[in-house]
Amino acid sequence: MSIRRVVPDLRVADMERARAFYRALGFDEVMDLGWAVTLASPDNPTAQIMLVGANADEPQPDISVEVADVDAAHTTMAAAGAEVVYPLRDEPWGVRRFFVRDPDGTVVNVVSHR
């Protein structure tokens, strides 16, 4: 399985306050869905963090792992008996993903861009 990047997903109580903090640290916004914002290093675009509003409606991952082939990753994880907590699907913002829970309860967003 080819891993392209790993991004921590941070739950934030105040999106604007969190944005201001990470902008001051040097990050640039690269995606804004309203309930989720991705910020990246201007010098290393794969160095990213995701801010997720505390009031988001769906299950929220703790970490995102971008893979080259999300369908193959889903097949591998299902065969390993992993607990899928959000089914494999295409999202309107251009990704295909699923969430899986690791043995200690961490929710991992496994994702590929379409």
Side-chain angles (χ1 to χ4, degrees), residues 56-110:
D57 294 333
E58 51 192 50
Q60 295 306 308
D62 301 297
I63 186 171
S64 293
V65 178
E66 182 183 354
V67 296
D69 185 342
V70 72
D71 291 280
H74 185 269
T75 299
T76 299
M77 297 308 294
E83 178 189 2
V84 174
V85 296
Y86 185 81
L88 181 63
R89 64 197 254 183
D90 293 323
E91 301 289 7
W93 55 90
V95 300
R96 183 164 173 80
R97 69 183 184 157
F98 69 97
F99 298 172
V100 64
R101 191 179 314 277
D102 84 1
D104 292 306
T106 300
V107 177
V108 181
N109 173 32
V110 184

Side-chain angles (χ1 to χ4, degrees), residues 7-93:
V7 178
D9 296 346
L10 309 176
R11 287 179 191 84
V12 299
D14 183 326
M15 186 65 78
E16 291 310 313
R17 186 180 68 197
R19 283 178 176 187
F21 176 85
Y22 287 103
R23 279 191 213 120
L25 194 56
F27 284 91
D28 291 335
E29 286 185 30
V30 295
M31 182 187 76
D32 182 354
L33 298 174
W35 58 271
V37 174
T38 302
L39 297 106
S41 164
D43 301 321
N44 178 4
T46 61
Q48 298 181 353
I49 57 170
M50 172 82 72
L51 306 177
V52 180
N55 296 330
D57 294 333
E58 51 192 50
Q60 295 306 308
D62 301 297
I63 186 171
S64 293
V65 178
E66 182 183 354
V67 296
D69 185 342
V70 72
D71 291 280
H74 185 269
T75 299
T76 299
M77 297 308 294
E83 178 189 2
V84 174
V85 296
Y86 185 81
L88 181 63
R89 64 197 254 183
D90 293 323
E91 301 289 7
W93 55 90

